[in-house]
Amino acid sequence: MDLLALLRKEAIATRRNLGLAIVLLVVLPGAIVAGTLVFEQTIPRDVPVGVVADDGASANDVAIVRAGIASFATPQEYETSDEATRALRREEIYLVIRVPGSLMDSEANATVTVRSDHAFVPFEEPVDESVGLVESELDRAFPATVSVEHERVGDPRTLSEFLVPTGVFVFVVLYALVYLPYQVRSERLVLDRLQTESRLDLVVASKLLFHGALLVIPAAIVAAVAAWAGIDVAALSPSTLFVLAVTFVYLAAIGLAVCFALRLTKTALFANLAVALGVFALSSLVYPVGFFSPVQGTISRALPTHYSAIAIRSTMLRDAPIALYADYLSWLAATAIGSLVALKLALAVYQRRR
């Protein structure tokens, strides 16, 4: 059986479960977008913050500023403002503080610039509160009269717009880690027969290709519902679809590898559900990294799903070149390759046990 015939078989199987497919591919993505409209605001408390010295600022000035904000943030020093802004747009930090060189002049009116990103909406209220804290702390710590100027980069966004990419990411995780392994397990009785007509790895490849291509449907639904609700997101941009595809490949490969390693038992489905819940809990999908604890932030930075969430959010909300996230995408592509290798090994183990 060749690849075209296998793809035709997948289309027939999907038609038999058309009701479930419509719920999964049409109703659920639309409901995800509509559900974000009920959210108002949320307040994270502790995030990485970049500190940059402007012309004339000494190392001692920067050290005092870092000490002053350490009570409500984790300061990280950058050489230039451009480097810090780049890190801000990549969500490596969530605030930039530029330290002027006149802080030690008792007769000066020193302006400290605080920069934030419109796209990370959950941090808007904490930023407003942080501006007041920065001003009071630095005015007390330095001889100069300190005021704070707040700048925001990017286009203004609502919390609903922010949550749409998060909802899309959640959908892809469930689709790849729960739905696809469930579909494969439901066909476990015919896999042996298929192996007599085609290689098992080709059968699995056809499933990855077919169900991956179906992601265009929920992306289109998200775009349509978002447009109807007046939410400006680029759900169908080539960069968004690319990130969705890479994310689906590595998550689906992991889910299927678990499924075949556990011999297509019910245990495999629960294991994949546990993986999905772990992804939601540890990937820092809504709150900034470090909001809960330094350990949680370290775990998030180590997970490819964290970078998938950032990349999806960025391609849908930020007007930034894809090259800005090139290393993130390279990490996701490497994860996809590694996951496919793991799937290949799991298939070999499954066939040997049979």
Side-chain angles (χ1 to χ4, degrees):
M1 187 178 294
D2 59 14
L3 180 60
L4 185 60
L6 289 168
L7 291 173
R8 189 179 299 113
K9 181 191 75 66
E10 292 298 328
I12 294 173
T14 300
R15 187 174 60 188
R16 292 199 194 101
N17 299 283
L18 187 59
L20 176 60
I22 290 175
V23 170
L24 181 68
L25 300 173
V26 177
V27 177
L28 182 58
I32 287 173
V33 179
T36 64
L37 301 176
V38 303
F39 287 87
E40 293 295 334
Q41 59 190 10
T42 186
I43 307 177
R45 300 177 181 177
D46 185 20
V47 295
V49 170
V51 179
V52 182
D54 277 349
D55 293 339
S58 67
N60 187 54
D61 294 339
V62 174
I64 295 175
V65 170
R66 293 185 62 173
I69 66 174
S71 61
F72 60 91
T74 304
Q76 301 176 13
E77 191 170 348
Y78 289 85
E79 293 293 329
T80 67
S81 180
D82 288 343
E83 289 181 3
T85 301
R86 182 176 185 274
L88 180 70
R89 293 172 72 82
R90 287 162 50 88
E91 296 187 25
E92 296 174 2
I93 56 176
Y94 299 87
L95 205 65
V96 176
I97 298 177
R98 290 169 51 190
V99 182
S102 54
L103 290 172
M104 301 305 294
D105 184 353
S106 59
E107 298 182 357
N109 293 317
T111 300
V112 176
T113 302
V114 176
R115 182 172 295 169
S116 63
D117 187 353
H118 270 304
F120 207 92
V121 180
F123 198 47
E124 281 190 358
E125 186 170 332
V127 166
D128 293 336
E129 295 178 359
S130 297
V131 167
L133 287 172
V134 169
E135 187 168 9
S136 61
E137 290 289 336
L138 300 188
D139 192 46
R140 182 172 53 193
F142 290 97
T145 300
V146 178
S147 61
V148 173
E149 179 181 347
H150 185 195
E151 296 179 354
R152 295 186 187 271
V153 299
D155 297 326
R157 294 291 186 175
T158 65
L159 186 57
S160 295
E161 288 174 317
F162 171 84
L163 289 175
V164 170
T166 305
V168 170
F169 175 78
V170 169
F171 168 78
V172 173
V173 171
L174 294 175
Y175 183 57
L177 281 176
V178 179
Y179 174 74
L180 182 56
Y182 170 81
Q183 282 290 94
V184 171
R185 184 184 179 274
S186 68
E187 298 178 3
R188 63 192 182 281
L189 298 179
V190 301
L191 283 178
D192 289 338
R193 178 175 61 82
L194 285 174
Q195 290 182 67
T196 64
E197 303 175 19
S198 180
R199 299 195 320 272
L200 182 59
D201 54 358
L202 188 60
V203 174
V204 173
S206 71
K207 290 184 176 296
L208 285 172
L209 181 60
F210 181 82
H211 291 280
L214 286 182
L215 277 175
V216 175
I217 298 175
I221 296 298
V222 166
V225 176
W228 170 79
I231 298 175
D232 182 19
V233 293
L236 287 175
S237 70
S239 53
T240 297
L241 294 178
F242 174 76
V243 176
L244 290 178
V246 175
T247 301
F248 169 79
V249 168
Y250 77 74
L251 288 174
I254 291 172
L256 292 176
V258 170
C259 217
F260 282 102
L262 296 178
R263 304 179 67 177
L264 299 179
T265 60
K266 287 184 178 179
T267 302
L269 299 181
F270 287 105
N272 280 328
L273 181 59
V275 173
L277 294 177
V279 167
F280 299 149
L282 299 174
S283 298
S284 295
L285 303 182
V286 176
Y287 298 104
V289 168
F291 169 62
F292 295 105
S293 71
V295 173
Q296 192 270 347
T298 301
I299 293 173
S300 295
R301 295 294 193 196
L303 296 177
T305 48
H306 173 67
Y307 299 99
S308 281
I310 292 176
I312 291 172
R313 180 159 51 242
S314 297
T315 57
M316 293 180 71
L317 298 180
R318 291 185 175 97
D319 184 18
I322 196 71
L324 183 64
Y325 312 97
D327 55 335
Y328 290 0
L329 298 179
S330 297
W331 169 219
L332 298 183
T335 302
I337 293 171
S339 300
L340 290 171
V341 171
L343 174 57
K344 178 69 174 180
L345 295 175
L347 290 173
V349 171
Y350 174 80
Q351 289 178 299
R352 189 160 53 245
R353 288 175 176 174
R354 302 297 290 178

